[in-house]
Amino acid sequence: MEPISDFFKSALFFIVATFGVNVGTDEPKYRVIEMIDQQTEIRLYAPRLAAEIHISKTAEAKMESMAFGKLAAYIFGENKRNTKIDMTAPVEKSAVQQNSKIAMTAPVDVKKDQQSMTMRFFMPSEYHVDNLPEPTDKDIKIIKIPEQIIAVRKYSGFSNDDNVKKQQEDLMSALKLTEWKTISDYRSYFYNPPWTIPFLRHNEILVEVKK
């Protein structure tokens, strides 16, 4: 019965994700500490774990596709632990399987330039360093991200380079009117899969800040 159950869960995820709804996905915990405008806010994020991969520009494949594919393979079973993790919240542990299966989380964190890309999948909140499955792919690193104060600008639509650049400029302009100063590179958060209707997508541009 388990394969049938997994099929229906996957089908439900595909259908509702088309309309911008993420069912059964955990998201990093944060607290809004200041609203700058309707699209821009300052958040305090709690410490969290992420699976990270750095991809250099190649002729064989797009950096985005390569990075996403490797991280997706990790959370869907290419790891060294023997616990299966259901794709629901709360998480229920079942019988031991050959590989682990880690629930998909949102958002996907991307940092990109013309020559390379760093992508992160955040891990579900019940994991810590001692119980997180170890990747079999040597290119994937498990990192612990400390508490951070982050300026975030929310937007919908496509996440192409031109739109991302515009949102970054808008975030920079909003921050110039405040006491917050940027202390990191800009990154992007993508909460929805590629097949989500563009105007229903939840995207964010962000940068670490301090006063």
Side-chain angles (χ1 to χ4, degrees), residues 9 12-17 20-26 87-89 104:
K9 288 176 184 176
L12 176 62
F13 174 81
F14 184 92
I15 293 170
V16 300
V21 180
N22 290 329
V23 173
T25 55
D26 194 12
M87 198 170 174
T88 59
M104 177 66 80

Side-chain angles (χ1 to χ4, degrees), residues 186-206:
Y186 286 82
R187 308 184 74 95
S188 297
Y189 276 2
F190 304 118
Y191 288 78
N192 307 109
W195 62 84
T196 301
I197 298 171
F199 74 89
L200 293 177
R201 292 178 183 173
H202 177 189
N203 308 315
E204 294 174 344
I205 193 79
L206 59 142

Side-chain angles (χ1 to χ4, degrees), residues 36-37 40 151-153 164-178 180-182 184 186 205-207 209:
I36 297 175
D37 57 46
T40 312
V152 178
R153 181 174 177 82
V164 169
K165 183 178 179 181
K166 178 184 182 302
Q167 299 302 326
Q168 178 178 323
E169 291 172 349
D170 289 344
L171 178 55
M172 290 172 61
S173 296
L175 290 174
K176 286 180 180 178
L177 302 176
T178 72
W180 296 101
K181 306 300 180 183
T182 63
S184 74
Y186 286 82
I205 193 79
L206 59 142
V207 65
V209 295

Side-chain angles (χ1 to χ4, degrees), residues 45-62:
Y45 274 88
R48 52 218 159 115
L49 291 178
E52 179 182 271
I53 189 167
H54 183 78
I55 298 289
S56 297
K57 188 174 183 179
T58 66
E60 292 79 12
K62 290 184 177 180

Side-chain angles (χ1 to χ4, degrees), residues 23-69:
V23 173
T25 55
D26 194 12
E27 296 184 9
K29 302 295 186 292
Y30 67 84
R31 176 170 59 88
V32 177
I33 59 178
E34 184 178 331
M35 291 290 299
I36 297 175
D37 57 46
Q38 289 187 337
Q39 290 178 264
T40 312
E41 59 191 23
I42 307 296
R43 299 175 182 170
L44 175 64
Y45 274 88
R48 52 218 159 115
L49 291 178
E52 179 182 271
I53 189 167
H54 183 78
I55 298 289
S56 297
K57 188 174 183 179
T58 66
E60 292 79 12
K62 290 184 177 180
M63 291 186 290
E64 294 95 331
S65 298
M66 184 179 295
F68 190 93

